[in-house]
Amino acid sequence: LLQSAGDEALLSGTTSPPHTSSMALAPLEDAPGVDISHDQDGGLFKELVTEGDASSGSPPVGSKVKVHYVGTLLDGSKFDSSRDRPGFFEFKVGVGQVIKGWDQGICTMKKGEVCTLTCRHDYAYGESGHPPKIPAGATLKFEVELFGWKEERKQKWELDEAGKQATAAELKEKGTAALKAGSNDEAYELYVDAASYVEGESAEPARALLLSCQLNAAAAALKLKEWALAEAAAGKALAVEPASVKALYRRGTA
């Protein structure tokens, strides 16, 4: 959750509110799950609700994650939920954009995982809380579902021609792996990202790579039954190669 309250309010800020006492805090009692705090100080517990896909690992520090969450007090009363609003909640993890409990906890999750994070006040909103929704010194619980993440990459303008093609090729390869694994939504996003690095490039290898990425994006969108996305990707492929049979077929199928 962000540091200051509402999704953007409750989950925005830079660092967790400081704990003002010099005395060590008592570990949480009867918290479900296991202590996953970096310091093993009993302030952050995680209980697995639904296992995720371990094959892609966990989001690295600095990656942009996509989640849904429901936040409750220990008495079960809900103070916030991203599921009550359109779209996912997205932020960079591990860099202080959210509370300490999230920065540490979400970096242990797998794609598709659902877990409950129990955060002592120093892993949440500190001794002051965030009135009126979050009382002073409150321990909070969050049910979090991790839908995916994107790792931080250099922007297109930071790369030379070879770097753009290399980045596009790497993303395309990841997209193909995701497509073969049945992760069609992830594959589509990776193909679109790959294409963005070589769009507008005139070199023949870049144009060939762009055509391949757009064709693959169209194929992934068809699997998702996202007809408009499939038609758009096929249209972009035809802009590169007007005679492409695959592009014509995929546009027609959409």
Side-chain angles (χ1 to χ4, degrees), residues 170-192:
E170 178 185 354
L171 291 169
K172 179 191 168 210
E173 184 177 348
K174 289 181 177 180
T176 300
L179 195 66
K180 289 179 178 178
S183 299
N184 300 319
D185 53 346
E186 180 182 1
Y188 173 79
E189 290 188 5
L190 285 164
Y191 288 136
V192 170

Side-chain angles (χ1 to χ4, degrees), residues 27-218:
L28 292 172
E29 294 184 1
D30 301 322
V34 296
D35 182 2
I36 59 166
S37 61
H38 290 176
D39 295 334
Q40 289 292 285
D41 59 9
L44 176 64
F45 281 76
K46 173 182 170 181
E47 181 183 30
L48 189 63
V49 177
T50 302
E51 289 190 6
D53 178 9
S55 64
S56 56
S58 298
V61 170
S63 58
K64 187 175 184 180
V65 299
K66 183 164 61 175
V67 306
H68 266 316
Y69 70 89
V70 179
T72 59
L73 304 178
L74 289 182
D75 64 6
S77 58
K78 181 175 72 174
F79 60 81
D80 193 27
S81 172
S82 65
R83 296 186 185 276
D84 294 338
R85 295 176 287 275
F88 297 103
F89 180 64
E90 300 183 55
F91 62 95
K92 288 184 178 180
V93 70
V95 296
Q97 289 188 354
V98 292
I99 59 174
K100 184 178 177 181
W102 275 43
D103 266 347
Q104 294 189 17
I106 290 176
C107 283
T108 71
M109 296 180 69
K110 314 297 182 187
K111 183 180 179 182
E113 179 180 318
V114 181
C115 73
T116 299
L117 298 175
T118 303
C119 307
R120 194 174 57 199
H121 68 269
D122 54 321
Y123 283 84
Y125 290 93
E127 293 179 341
S128 299
H130 201 296
K133 289 189 173 184
I134 300 173
T139 293
L140 305 178
K141 299 185 74 169
F142 298 95
E143 182 182 87
V144 183
E145 182 172 2
L146 177 62
F147 290 87
W149 64 87
K150 291 182 179 180
E151 296 185 31
E152 191 76 5
R153 295 189 296 270
K154 284 188 175 182
Q155 299 298 306
K156 180 178 179 179
W157 60 267
E158 298 178 281
L159 300 169
D160 59 15
E161 184 175 317
K164 294 172 189 175
Q165 292 181 30
T167 300
E170 178 185 354
L171 291 169
K172 179 191 168 210
E173 184 177 348
K174 289 181 177 180
T176 300
L179 195 66
K180 289 179 178 178
S183 299
N184 300 319
D185 53 346
E186 180 182 1
Y188 173 79
E189 290 188 5
L190 285 164
Y191 288 136
V192 170
D193 284 350
S196 70
Y197 279 87
V198 286
E199 283 178 338
E201 299 297 311
S202 58
E204 188 54 38
R207 288 176 58 80
L209 190 53
L210 177 60
L211 174 62
S212 179
C213 289
Q214 296 292 10
L215 287 172
N216 291 351

